[in-house]
Coordinates of all heavy atoms in Angstrom, one line a residue:
M1 N 4.3 -12.0 4.0 CA 5.4 -11.3 4.4 C 4.8 -10.2 5.5 O 3.7 -9.8 5.4 CB 6.1 -10.6 3.2 CG 5.8 -9.2 2.9 SD 6.5 -8.5 1.4 CE 6.1 -9.7 0.2
T2 N 5.8 -9.9 6.4 CA 5.3 -9.0 7.5 C 5.3 -7.5 7.0 O 5.7 -7.2 6.0 CB 6.4 -9.1 8.6 OG1 7.6 -8.6 8.2 CG2 6.4 -10.5 9.2
V3 N 4.8 -6.6 7.8 CA 4.8 -5.2 7.5 C 6.3 -4.7 7.4 O 6.5 -3.9 6.4 CB 3.9 -4.5 8.5 CG1 4.7 -4.4 9.9 CG2 3.7 -3.2 8.0
T4 N 7.1 -5.2 8.2 CA 8.5 -4.7 8.0 C 9.2 -5.2 6.7 O 9.9 -4.5 6.1 CB 9.4 -5.2 9.2 OG1 8.8 -4.8 10.5 CG2 10.8 -4.8 9.2
A5 N 9.0 -6.4 6.3 CA 9.6 -7.0 5.1 C 8.9 -6.2 3.8 O 9.5 -5.8 2.9 CB 9.1 -8.5 5.0
L6 N 7.5 -6.0 3.9 CA 7.0 -5.2 2.8 C 7.5 -3.8 2.7 O 7.8 -3.4 1.7 CB 5.4 -5.2 3.0 CG 4.6 -4.3 2.0 CD1 4.7 -4.9 0.7 CD2 3.1 -4.3 2.5
A7 N 7.7 -3.1 3.9 CA 8.3 -1.8 4.0 C 9.7 -1.7 3.3 O 10.0 -0.9 2.5 CB 8.3 -1.3 5.4
R8 N 10.4 -2.8 3.7 CA 11.8 -2.8 3.1 C 11.8 -3.0 1.6 O 12.5 -2.5 0.9 CB 12.7 -3.9 3.8 CG 13.1 -3.5 5.3 CD 13.9 -4.6 5.9 NE 14.3 -4.2 7.2 CZ 14.3 -5.0 8.2 NH1 14.3 -6.3 8.0 NH2 14.7 -4.7 9.4
L9 N 11.0 -4.0 1.2 CA 10.9 -4.2 -0.2 C 10.5 -3.1 -1.1 O 11.0 -2.9 -2.2 CB 9.9 -5.4 -0.4 CG 9.8 -6.0 -1.9 CD1 11.1 -6.6 -2.3 CD2 8.6 -7.0 -1.9
C10 N 9.6 -2.3 -0.4 CA 9.0 -1.2 -1.3 C 9.7 0.1 -1.0 O 9.3 1.2 -1.6 CB 7.5 -1.0 -0.9 SG 6.6 -2.5 -1.7
G11 N 10.6 0.1 -0.1 CA 11.3 1.4 0.2 C 10.7 2.5 0.9 O 10.8 3.6 0.7
V12 N 9.7 2.1 1.8 CA 8.9 3.0 2.6 C 9.1 2.5 4.1 O 9.6 1.4 4.3 CB 7.4 3.1 2.2 CG1 7.3 3.5 0.8 CG2 6.8 1.7 2.3
S13 N 8.6 3.4 5.0 CA 8.8 3.0 6.4 C 7.4 2.1 6.8 O 6.5 2.3 6.1 CB 8.7 4.3 7.2 OG 7.5 5.0 7.2
R14 N 7.8 1.5 7.8 CA 6.6 0.7 8.4 C 5.3 1.7 8.8 O 4.3 1.2 8.6 CB 7.2 0.0 9.7 CG 6.3 -1.0 10.4 CD 6.8 -1.6 11.6 NE 6.0 -2.4 12.3 CZ 5.0 -2.0 13.2 NH1 4.9 -0.7 13.4 NH2 4.2 -2.9 13.8
S15 N 5.7 2.8 9.4 CA 4.6 3.6 9.8 C 3.9 4.1 8.5 O 2.6 4.3 8.6 CB 5.1 4.7 10.6 OG 6.0 5.5 10.0
T16 N 4.5 4.3 7.5 CA 3.8 4.8 6.2 C 2.9 3.6 5.8 O 1.7 3.9 5.6 CB 4.7 5.0 5.2 OG1 5.7 6.1 5.4 CG2 4.2 5.2 3.6
L17 N 3.2 2.4 6.0 CA 2.3 1.3 5.5 C 1.1 1.3 6.4 O 0.0 1.1 6.0 CB 3.0 -0.1 5.4 CG 4.0 -0.1 4.4 CD1 4.7 -1.6 4.5 CD2 3.5 0.0 3.0
L18 N 1.3 1.4 7.7 CA 0.3 1.4 8.6 C -0.7 2.6 8.4 O -1.9 2.4 8.6 CB 0.9 1.3 10.1 CG 1.6 0.1 10.5 CD1 2.2 0.2 11.9 CD2 0.8 -1.2 10.2
H19 N -0.2 3.7 8.0 CA -1.0 4.9 7.7 C -1.8 4.6 6.5 O -2.9 4.9 6.5 CB 0.0 6.1 7.6 CG -0.8 7.5 7.1 ND1 -1.6 8.0 8.1 CD2 -0.7 8.2 6.2 CE1 -2.1 9.0 7.6 NE2 -1.7 9.2 6.4
Y20 N -1.2 4.0 5.5 CA -2.0 3.7 4.3 C -3.2 2.7 4.6 O -4.2 2.8 4.1 CB -1.0 3.0 3.2 CG -0.1 3.9 2.5 CD1 0.9 3.4 1.8 CD2 0.0 5.3 2.6 CE1 1.8 4.1 1.0 CE2 0.8 6.1 2.0 CZ 1.8 5.5 1.2 OH 2.6 6.4 0.5
E21 N -2.8 1.8 5.5 CA -3.8 0.8 6.0 C -4.9 1.6 6.6 O -6.1 1.3 6.4 CB -3.2 -0.1 6.8 CG -4.1 -1.4 7.2 CD -3.4 -2.4 8.0 OE1 -2.3 -2.8 7.7 OE2 -4.0 -2.8 8.9
S22 N -4.6 2.5 7.5 CA -5.7 3.1 8.2 C -6.5 4.1 7.4 O -7.7 4.4 7.7 CB -5.0 4.1 9.5 OG -4.3 5.1 8.8
L23 N -6.0 4.6 6.2 CA -6.7 5.4 5.2 C -7.5 4.6 4.3 O -8.3 5.1 3.6 CB -5.7 6.3 4.5 CG -5.0 7.3 5.2 CD1 -4.0 8.1 4.5 CD2 -6.0 8.4 6.0
G24 N -7.3 3.3 4.3 CA -7.9 2.5 3.3 C -7.3 2.3 1.9 O -7.8 1.8 1.1
L25 N -6.1 2.8 1.8 CA -5.3 2.8 0.7 C -4.8 1.4 0.5 O -4.4 0.8 -0.6 CB -4.1 3.7 0.6 CG -4.4 5.2 0.3 CD1 -3.2 6.0 0.6 CD2 -4.8 5.4 -1.0
L26 N -4.5 0.6 1.6 CA -3.9 -0.7 1.6 C -5.0 -1.5 2.4 O -5.3 -1.1 3.5 CB -2.6 -0.7 2.3 CG -1.7 -1.9 2.1 CD1 -1.4 -2.2 0.7 CD2 -0.4 -1.7 2.9
R27 N -5.3 -2.7 2.0 CA -6.3 -3.5 2.7 C -5.7 -4.0 4.0 O -4.5 -4.2 4.2 CB -6.6 -4.8 1.8 CG -5.6 -5.7 1.6 CD -5.9 -7.0 1.1 NE -4.7 -7.9 0.9 CZ -4.4 -8.7 1.7 NH1 -5.0 -8.9 2.9 NH2 -3.3 -9.4 1.5
R28 N -6.6 -4.2 4.9 CA -6.2 -4.9 6.1 C -5.8 -6.4 6.0 O -6.7 -7.1 5.4 CB -7.2 -4.7 7.2 CG -7.5 -3.2 7.6 CD -8.2 -3.2 9.0 NE -8.5 -1.8 9.3 CZ -7.7 -0.9 9.8 NH1 -6.5 -1.3 10.1 NH2 -8.2 0.3 10.1
P29 N -4.6 -6.7 6.1 CA -4.3 -8.1 5.8 C -4.7 -9.1 6.8 O -4.9 -8.8 8.0 CB -2.8 -8.1 5.7 CG -2.4 -7.0 6.6 CD -3.5 -6.0 6.5
P30 N -4.8 -10.4 6.3 CA -5.1 -11.4 7.4 C -3.9 -11.5 8.3 O -2.8 -11.0 8.0 CB -5.2 -12.7 6.5 CG -4.5 -12.3 5.1 CD -4.6 -10.9 5.0
R31 N -4.1 -12.1 9.5 CA -3.0 -12.3 10.4 C -2.6 -13.8 10.5 O -3.4 -14.5 10.2 CB -3.6 -11.8 11.8 CG -4.0 -10.3 11.9 CD -2.9 -9.5 12.0 NE -3.3 -8.1 12.2 CZ -2.7 -7.3 13.1 NH1 -1.6 -7.8 13.7 NH2 -3.0 -6.0 13.2
T32 N -1.3 -13.9 10.9 CA -0.8 -15.2 11.1 C -1.1 -15.7 12.4 O -1.7 -15.0 13.3 CB 0.8 -15.2 10.9 OG1 1.3 -14.4 12.1 CG2 1.3 -14.6 9.7
A33 N -0.8 -16.9 12.8 CA -1.2 -17.5 14.1 C -0.4 -16.7 15.2 O -0.9 -16.6 16.3 CB -0.6 -18.9 14.1
G34 N 0.7 -16.2 14.9 CA 1.4 -15.2 15.8 C 1.0 -13.7 15.8 O 1.6 -13.0 16.4
N35 N -0.1 -13.4 15.1 CA -0.8 -12.2 15.0 C 0.0 -11.2 14.3 O -0.1 -9.9 14.3 CB -1.2 -11.6 16.5 CG -2.3 -10.7 16.3 OD1 -3.1 -10.8 15.6 ND2 -2.2 -9.7 17.3
Y36 N 0.9 -11.6 13.4 CA 1.6 -10.7 12.4 C 0.7 -10.5 11.2 O 0.0 -11.4 10.7 CB 3.0 -11.3 11.9 CG 4.0 -11.3 13.0 CD1 4.2 -12.6 13.8 CD2 4.8 -10.3 13.4 CE1 5.1 -12.6 14.7 CE2 5.7 -10.3 14.4 CZ 5.9 -11.4 15.1 OH 6.9 -11.5 16.1
R37 N 0.8 -9.3 10.6 CA 0.2 -9.1 9.4 C 0.7 -9.9 8.3 O 2.0 -10.1 8.2 CB 0.3 -7.6 9.0 CG -0.6 -6.7 9.8 CD -0.1 -5.2 9.6 NE -1.0 -4.3 10.1 CZ -1.0 -3.9 11.4 NH1 0.0 -4.4 12.2 NH2 -1.8 -3.0 11.9
A38 N 0.0 -10.4 7.4 CA 0.5 -11.3 6.4 C 0.1 -10.6 5.0 O -0.9 -10.9 4.4 CB 0.0 -12.7 6.4
Y39 N 1.2 -9.9 4.4 CA 0.8 -9.2 3.1 C 1.4 -10.2 2.0 O 2.2 -11.1 2.2 CB 1.8 -8.0 3.0 CG 1.2 -6.9 3.9 CD1 1.9 -6.8 5.2 CD2 0.2 -6.1 3.7 CE1 1.5 -5.7 6.1 CE2 -0.3 -5.2 4.5 CZ 0.4 -4.9 5.8 OH -0.1 -3.9 6.6
G40 N 0.9 -9.9 0.8 CA 1.2 -10.9 -0.4 C 1.7 -10.0 -1.5 O 1.8 -8.8 -1.3
Q41 N 1.9 -10.7 -2.6 CA 2.3 -9.9 -3.9 C 1.3 -8.8 -4.3 O 1.8 -7.8 -4.7 CB 2.6 -10.9 -5.0 CG 3.8 -11.7 -4.8 CD 5.1 -10.9 -4.5 OE1 5.3 -10.0 -5.2 NE2 5.9 -11.2 -3.4
P42 N 0.1 -9.0 -4.2 CA -0.8 -7.9 -4.7 C -0.7 -6.7 -3.8 O -0.7 -5.5 -4.3 CB -2.3 -8.4 -4.4 CG -2.2 -9.9 -4.5 CD -0.7 -10.2 -4.0
D43 N -0.3 -6.8 -2.5 CA 0.0 -5.7 -1.7 C 1.3 -5.0 -2.1 O 1.4 -3.7 -2.0 CB 0.2 -6.2 -0.2 CG -1.2 -6.8 0.3 OD1 -2.3 -6.2 0.1 OD2 -1.1 -7.9 0.7
V44 N 2.3 -5.9 -2.5 CA 3.6 -5.2 -3.0 C 3.2 -4.3 -4.3 O 3.7 -3.2 -4.3 CB 4.6 -6.3 -3.4 CG1 5.9 -5.7 -4.1 CG2 5.0 -7.1 -2.2
A45 N 2.4 -4.9 -5.1 CA 2.0 -4.1 -6.4 C 1.3 -2.8 -6.0 O 1.5 -1.8 -6.6 CB 1.3 -5.0 -7.3
R46 N 0.4 -3.0 -5.0 CA -0.4 -1.8 -4.6 C 0.4 -0.7 -4.0 O 0.4 0.5 -4.2 CB -1.4 -2.2 -3.6 CG -2.3 -1.1 -3.1 CD -3.6 -1.1 -3.8 NE -4.7 -0.3 -3.0 CZ -5.8 -0.3 -3.3 NH1 -6.3 -1.0 -4.2 NH2 -6.6 0.6 -2.7
V47 N 1.4 -1.0 -3.1 CA 2.3 -0.1 -2.5 C 3.2 0.6 -3.5 O 3.4 1.8 -3.5 CB 3.1 -0.8 -1.4 CG1 4.2 0.2 -0.8 CG2 2.2 -1.2 -0.2
R48 N 3.7 -0.2 -4.5 CA 4.5 0.2 -5.6 C 3.7 1.3 -6.4 O 4.1 2.3 -6.9 CB 5.2 -0.7 -6.3 CG 6.2 -1.4 -5.6 CD 6.9 -2.6 -6.4 NE 8.1 -3.0 -5.7 CZ 8.6 -4.2 -6.0 NH1 8.3 -5.0 -6.9 NH2 9.6 -4.6 -5.1
Q49 N 2.4 1.0 -6.7 CA 1.6 1.8 -7.5 C 1.4 3.1 -6.8 O 1.5 4.3 -7.3 CB 0.3 1.1 -7.7 CG -0.7 1.9 -8.6 CD -2.0 1.1 -8.9 OE1 -2.4 0.4 -7.9 NE2 -2.6 1.3 -10.0
I50 N 1.1 3.1 -5.4 CA 1.0 4.2 -4.7 C 2.2 5.1 -4.7 O 2.1 6.4 -4.9 CB 0.6 4.0 -3.2 CG1 -0.8 3.4 -3.1 CG2 0.6 5.2 -2.3 CD1 -1.2 2.7 -1.7
G51 N 3.3 4.5 -4.7 CA 4.6 5.2 -4.7 C 4.8 5.9 -6.1 O 5.2 7.1 -6.0
V52 N 4.3 5.4 -7.1 CA 4.4 6.1 -8.4 C 3.6 7.4 -8.3 O 4.1 8.5 -8.8 CB 4.0 5.1 -9.6 CG1 3.8 5.9 -10.8 CG2 5.0 4.1 -9.7
Y53 N 2.4 7.2 -7.8 CA 1.5 8.4 -7.8 C 2.1 9.4 -6.8 O 2.0 10.7 -7.2 CB 0.2 7.9 -7.2 CG -0.7 7.2 -8.3 CD1 -1.5 6.1 -7.8 CD2 -0.6 7.5 -9.7 CE1 -2.2 5.3 -8.8 CE2 -1.5 6.7 -10.5 CZ -2.2 5.6 -10.2 OH -2.8 4.8 -11.0
R54 N 2.8 9.1 -5.7 CA 3.2 10.1 -4.7 C 4.4 10.7 -5.4 O 4.6 11.9 -5.2 CB 3.8 9.3 -3.4 CG 2.7 8.6 -2.6 CD 1.8 9.7 -1.9 NE 2.6 10.3 -0.8 CZ 2.2 11.5 -0.3 NH1 1.1 12.1 -0.7 NH2 2.9 12.0 0.5
K55 N 5.3 10.0 -6.2 CA 6.4 10.6 -6.9 C 6.0 11.8 -7.8 O 6.8 12.7 -8.1 CB 7.2 9.6 -7.6 CG 8.1 8.8 -6.6 CD 9.0 7.8 -7.4 CE 9.8 7.0 -6.3 NZ 10.6 5.9 -6.8
V56 N 4.8 11.7 -8.4 CA 4.3 12.7 -9.4 C 3.7 13.8 -8.7 O 3.1 14.7 -9.3 CB 3.6 12.1 -10.6 CG1 4.5 11.1 -11.4 CG2 2.3 11.5 -10.1
G57 N 3.6 13.6 -7.4 CA 2.9 14.8 -6.5 C 1.5 14.6 -6.2 O 0.8 15.6 -5.7
L58 N 0.9 13.5 -6.4 CA -0.5 13.3 -6.0 C -0.6 13.2 -4.5 O 0.1 12.6 -3.9 CB -1.1 12.2 -6.8 CG -1.3 12.4 -8.3 CD1 -1.8 11.0 -8.8 CD2 -2.2 13.4 -8.7
G59 N -1.7 13.7 -4.0 CA -2.2 13.6 -2.6 C -2.8 12.2 -2.4 O -3.3 11.5 -3.2
L60 N -2.9 11.8 -1.0 CA -3.4 10.6 -0.7 C -4.8 10.4 -1.0 O -5.3 9.3 -1.5 CB -3.1 10.3 0.7 CG -1.6 10.1 1.1 CD1 -1.6 9.8 2.6 CD2 -1.0 8.9 0.3
A61 N -5.6 11.5 -0.9 CA -7.1 11.5 -1.3 C -7.2 11.1 -2.8 O -8.1 10.4 -3.2 CB -7.7 12.7 -1.0
A62 N -6.5 11.8 -3.6 CA -6.5 11.6 -5.0 C -6.0 10.2 -5.4 O -6.6 9.5 -6.2 CB -5.7 12.5 -5.9
I63 N -4.9 9.6 -4.8 CA -4.5 8.3 -5.0 C -5.6 7.3 -4.5 O -5.8 6.3 -5.3 CB -3.2 8.1 -4.2 CG1 -2.0 9.0 -4.8 CG2 -2.7 6.6 -4.2 CD1 -0.8 9.1 -4.0
R64 N -6.2 7.6 -3.5 CA -7.3 6.5 -3.1 C -8.3 6.5 -4.1 O -8.8 5.4 -4.4 CB -7.7 7.1 -1.8 CG -8.8 6.0 -1.2 CD -9.3 6.4 0.2 NE -10.3 5.5 0.6 CZ -10.9 5.5 1.8 NH1 -10.8 6.6 2.5 NH2 -11.8 4.7 2.0
S65 N -8.8 7.5 -4.7 CA -9.8 7.4 -5.8 C -9.3 6.7 -7.0 O -10.0 6.1 -7.8 CB -10.4 8.8 -6.2 OG -9.4 9.6 -6.8
L66 N -7.9 6.8 -7.4 CA -7.4 6.3 -8.4 C -7.3 4.7 -8.2 O -7.6 4.0 -9.1 CB -6.1 6.9 -8.8 CG -6.2 8.3 -9.5 CD1 -4.7 8.9 -9.5 CD2 -6.8 8.3 -10.8
V67 N -6.7 4.3 -7.1 CA -6.3 2.8 -6.9 C -7.7 2.1 -6.6 O -7.6 1.0 -6.9 CB -5.4 2.6 -5.8 CG1 -4.0 3.3 -6.1 CG2 -5.8 3.1 -4.5
D68 N -8.7 2.8 -6.2 CA -10.1 2.1 -6.1 C -10.7 1.8 -7.3 O -11.7 1.1 -7.3 CB -10.9 2.8 -5.0 CG -10.4 2.7 -3.6 OD1 -9.6 1.7 -3.3 OD2 -10.7 3.5 -2.8
R69 N -10.3 2.5 -8.4 CA -11.0 2.3 -9.7 C -10.6 0.9 -10.2 O -9.5 0.6 -10.2 CB -10.6 3.3 -10.8 CG -11.2 4.7 -10.3 CD -10.8 5.8 -11.1 NE -10.3 5.7 -12.4 CZ -9.8 6.5 -13.2 NH1 -9.6 7.7 -12.7 NH2 -9.5 6.3 -14.5
P70 N -11.6 0.1 -10.9 CA -11.3 -1.2 -11.4 C -10.1 -1.0 -12.6 O -10.3 0.1 -13.3 CB -12.5 -1.7 -12.1 CG -13.6 -0.7 -11.5 CD -12.9 0.5 -11.0
G71 N -9.2 -1.9 -12.6 CA -8.2 -1.8 -13.7 C -7.4 -0.6 -13.7 O -6.7 -0.1 -14.7
S72 N -7.1 0.0 -12.4 CA -6.1 1.1 -12.3 C -4.8 0.7 -12.8 O -4.1 -0.3 -12.5 CB -6.1 1.6 -10.9 OG -7.2 2.2 -10.5
D73 N -4.2 1.5 -13.7 CA -2.9 1.4 -14.3 C -2.1 2.7 -14.2 O -2.5 3.7 -14.8 CB -3.0 1.0 -15.8 CG -1.9 0.9 -16.5 OD1 -0.6 0.5 -15.9 OD2 -1.7 1.4 -17.7
A74 N -1.1 2.7 -13.3 CA -0.3 3.9 -13.1 C 0.1 4.6 -14.5 O -0.1 5.7 -14.6 CB 0.8 3.7 -12.2
A75 N 0.7 3.9 -15.3 CA 1.2 4.4 -16.6 C 0.1 5.0 -17.4 O 0.3 6.1 -18.0 CB 2.0 3.3 -17.3
G76 N -1.0 4.3 -17.4 CA -2.2 4.7 -18.3 C -2.7 6.0 -17.8 O -3.2 6.8 -18.6
I77 N -3.0 6.0 -16.4 CA -3.5 7.2 -15.8 C -2.7 8.4 -15.9 O -3.2 9.6 -16.2 CB -4.0 6.9 -14.4 CG1 -5.0 5.9 -14.3 CG2 -4.3 8.2 -13.6 CD1 -5.3 5.2 -13.0
L78 N -1.4 8.2 -15.7 CA -0.4 9.4 -15.8 C -0.2 9.8 -17.3 O -0.1 10.9 -17.4 CB 1.0 8.9 -15.1 CG 0.7 8.6 -13.6 CD1 2.1 8.2 -13.1 CD2 0.2 10.0 -12.8

């Protein structure tokens, strides 16, 4: 799915996703033959997980350390 489709699905802006990507919160996805970003279901889950952390007031630096831990579970950590 494209960055725009992912943004719509997760209720964030396209620029937010690109910002997350630049910070390393979201992996750099492979590109299609047309040079579009190609996100998958793991990316949807990751963006939704980041959204949960943002809603409870965590900053992006704290979120990055949480999502990079193996087996990160939003409900369990919160």
Side-chain angles (χ1 to χ4, degrees):
M1 98 183 48
T2 65
V3 68
T4 302
L6 178 62
R8 286 183 184 147
L9 183 64
C10 294
V12 297
S13 69
R14 180 182 179 280
S15 61
T16 295
L17 293 178
L18 297 177
H19 182 63
Y20 289 172
E21 188 179 310
S22 73
L23 295 176
L25 285 168
L26 195 57
R27 70 172 177 86
R28 293 198 187 277
R31 299 285 185 137
T32 66
N35 204 31
Y36 289 98
R37 289 171 171 84
Y39 293 100
Q41 288 305 313
D43 300 306
V44 173
R46 179 98 167 194
V47 172
R48 288 182 174 162
Q49 184 180 33
I50 292 167
V52 168
Y53 292 140
R54 294 291 290 160
K55 284 182 183 178
V56 297
L58 294 178
L60 294 176
I63 292 170
R64 185 175 180 186
S65 68
L66 290 173
V67 296
D68 286 341
R69 290 174 26 189
S72 290
D73 170 40
I77 290 171
L78 297 176

